[in-house]
Amino acid sequence: MKPLVTAAIFGLLAAPAFAEGDPAKGEKGFNKCKSCHMVVSDDGDVIVKGGKTGPNLWGLAGRTAGSTEGFKYSKDLIAAGEAGLVWDEAKFVGYTTDPKKFLQAETGNPKAKSKMSFRLKKGGEDIFAFLASHGPAPAEEPAAEENAEAASE
């Protein structure tokens, strides 16, 4: 029984990465984003064909900010990522609502800037839910795997 409780706790700890919005509404709302962003899997499967002005948003949920290889981010977004900013629903909604103010608050730098000038008035939760459904499968924690194996013996 104890291994099952441990596995359940690990599952709850991963819960913040899951979105509470509506992925179907988010897919429609992403139309506002695709002029600058695309969603293309690591294997090259195109989920949403879009622009290249912004980074590919495949696997955004749970990713460190400013960390997509091959994309040139603002120095302030990179600094926020290096300081520990990881994209979850709340951070994504805050950033897309007002990128400049968000980065100023995250970095503590009143002059921080973002390359993203677009502001999303509503629907950020839904767009995050859509993006959260498009990424690599989450890696299972080694301890959870060991506990699951022990429970099945």
Side-chain angles (χ1 to χ4, degrees), residues 7 12 26 29 32 41 44-45 51 60 68 80 96 105 107 117-118 122 148-149:
L12 290 174
K32 298 172 191 168
S41 75
D45 295 328
L60 174 82
T68 299
T96 57
T107 63
S117 59
F118 180 80
K122 62 181 181 175
E149 288 174 16

Side-chain angles (χ1 to χ4, degrees), residues 4-60:
L4 292 176
V5 172
T6 304
I9 290 171
F10 277 114
L12 290 174
L13 292 174
F18 296 109
E20 295 184 22
D22 182 340
K25 287 182 183 176
E27 183 173 13
K28 185 177 179 183
F30 191 78
N31 286 330
K32 298 172 191 168
C33 311
K34 71 181 186 179
S35 62
C36 296
H37 297 278
M38 68 185 106
V39 181
V40 178
S41 75
D42 294 335
D43 297 333
D45 295 328
V46 177
I47 288 84
V48 177
K49 184 178 181 180
K52 295 181 182 180
T53 305
N56 178 7
L57 297 181
W58 167 263
L60 174 82

